[in-house]
Amino acid sequence: MTIQWFPGHMAKARREVSEKLKFVDIVFELVDARLPRSSRNPMLDQIVQQKPRLILLNKADLADPNQTALWTSWFKEQGYEVLAMNAKNDKSVKQIVPAAKKVLAEKLARDKERGIKPRAIRAMVLGIPNVGKSTLLNHLAGKKIASTGNKPGVTKGQQWLRFGSQLELLDTPGILWPKFEDPEVGKRLALTGAIKDDLLHLDDLAIDELGFLRRFYPEQLKERYKLTDEEIFQELPELLMLIAKKRGFKDDYERASEMMIIELRQGRLGRYTLDRFEEYTE
């Protein structure tokens, strides 16, 4: 299964981002903590260039904490400031401004020496669809100011949003890239909801999900679907059919596939990380 998705408004957004960079002090790169590599746009380095950057590993509450710790250390070794967070959590969100000030410490010190009056940090929020940008903006504001949804591509335009006296954010649509060089990246993005479901074969995706969970989180899989040690190691299509029957779907494996994918995204199968640190570093 090969997955590609590059709506027209994303090409336009990419151009607009390049034009607006000169107006911001820092880029907030929002990344799905369950996909620390796959949910990063490989074009972003070319677009952002030398602009200071803070990487926000969002949805860390859904990710495997051991994997998140490994990825956080790796990003820091690459020279990035990184914050594992949950955009729905007050404590997490309140750490963003201090982290941004840390990244901008030299600039802020220079401004102070020159007698430049302190002003709000101006940041641009960038990330692929469905990593939680609108959720973050709404939480910062304490009210709904940006559209949110479980479907990717909700935010279609750019808008400046002010949060108190310390932060101004330029929201942008989620930007994917024209082609996934690695088909596994497309599958992982699809599993977490970064690609519209109507572009996917959900039964194939559910089988990929089963293979992943059986390999890395077998106990979580057994517990959720009441599987025995013997049942979990049968062929994956048969395992999907068995789960369909256990859930009362009889032979409706398409309905079972949709159910499994939704439950994975909602964290009902426990915390997980699809981008395995050990596989990338090998």
Side-chain angles (χ1 to χ4, degrees), residues 95-109:
Q95 296 179 63
I96 294 176
V97 170
K101 287 182 176 179
K102 185 176 179 180
V103 176
L104 296 171
E106 291 185 10
K107 177 187 181 301
L108 296 175

Side-chain angles (χ1 to χ4, degrees), residues 150-217:
N150 292 324
K151 296 181 179 180
V154 171
T155 305
K156 292 293 195 298
Q158 296 180 335
Q159 54 183 331
W160 278 102
L161 305 166
R162 187 176 179 87
F163 305 101
S165 61
Q166 298 193 79
L167 185 63
E168 293 178 356
L169 292 179
L170 178 63
D171 184 26
T172 61
I175 306 174
L176 277 173
W177 51 103
K179 182 179 180 181
F180 304 135
E181 297 297 335
D182 182 354
E184 292 302 313
V185 168
K187 292 177 184 178
R188 291 169 184 171
L189 290 169
L191 276 172
T192 57
I195 297 172
K196 292 182 178 180
D197 285 344
D198 55 12
L199 299 174
L200 309 172
H201 299 293
L202 295 185
D203 52 340
D204 290 341
L205 203 58
I207 287 175
D208 286 334
E209 174 187 336
L210 280 173
F212 167 79
L213 291 170
R214 186 170 69 181
R215 180 180 177 189
F216 294 107
Y217 303 101

Side-chain angles (χ1 to χ4, degrees), residues 18-230:
S18 298
E19 294 168 1
K20 297 288 180 64
L21 269 175
K22 60 186 176 183
F23 300 118
V24 303
D25 305 309
I26 188 172
V27 168
F28 292 165
E29 182 185 354
L30 210 55
V31 177
D32 190 324
R34 299 167 297 178
L35 297 163
R37 288 293 294 271
S38 296
S39 64
R40 297 189 73 206
N41 188 333
M43 297 165 57
L44 208 57
D45 288 341
Q46 179 184 352
I47 296 170
V48 174
Q49 297 184 12
Q50 301 304 313
K51 184 68 67 173
R53 193 184 320 186
L54 171 62
I55 293 178
L56 302 175
L57 292 177
N58 191 33
K59 305 186 182 182
D61 56 310
L62 299 176
D64 182 330
N66 295 323
Q67 287 285 312
T68 299
L70 291 169
W71 280 112
T72 298
S73 297
W74 183 85
F75 278 119
K76 289 182 176 179
E77 289 172 2
Q78 309 308 307
Y80 294 110
E81 184 65 23
V82 58
L83 179 63
M85 58 167 293
N86 171 10
K88 298 178 181 179
N89 180 274
D90 281 328
K91 186 177 179 181
S92 282
V93 172
K94 287 179 179 177
Q95 296 179 63
I96 294 176
V97 170
K101 287 182 176 179
K102 185 176 179 180
V103 176
L104 296 171
E106 291 185 10
K107 177 187 181 301
L108 296 175
R110 287 197 306 270
D111 289 349
K112 186 176 181 179
E113 289 176 3
R114 296 170 182 170
I116 298 175
K117 185 178 179 181
R119 60 164 173 78
I121 293 172
R122 292 171 183 160
M124 177 183 290
V125 185
L126 291 177
I128 70 168
N130 211 36
V131 291
K133 295 186 303 299
S134 296
T135 299
L136 173 61
L137 295 170
N138 290 338
H139 194 100
L140 281 165
K143 60 182 178 180
K144 185 173 182 179
I145 56 175
S147 299
T148 62
N150 292 324
K151 296 181 179 180
V154 171
T155 305
K156 292 293 195 298
Q158 296 180 335
Q159 54 183 331
W160 278 102
L161 305 166
R162 187 176 179 87
F163 305 101
S165 61
Q166 298 193 79
L167 185 63
E168 293 178 356
L169 292 179
L170 178 63
D171 184 26
T172 61
I175 306 174
L176 277 173
W177 51 103
K179 182 179 180 181
F180 304 135
E181 297 297 335
D182 182 354
E184 292 302 313
V185 168
K187 292 177 184 178
R188 291 169 184 171
L189 290 169
L191 276 172
T192 57
I195 297 172
K196 292 182 178 180
D197 285 344
D198 55 12
L199 299 174
L200 309 172
H201 299 293
L202 295 185
D203 52 340
D204 290 341
L205 203 58
I207 287 175
D208 286 334
E209 174 187 336
L210 280 173
F212 167 79
L213 291 170
R214 186 170 69 181
R215 180 180 177 189
F216 294 107
Y217 303 101
E219 295 305 316
Q220 293 174 198
L221 181 61
K222 287 194 295 184
E223 180 180 354
R224 182 65 187 173
Y225 298 118
K226 304 295 186 283
L227 299 168
T228 65
D229 289 334
E230 183 179 352

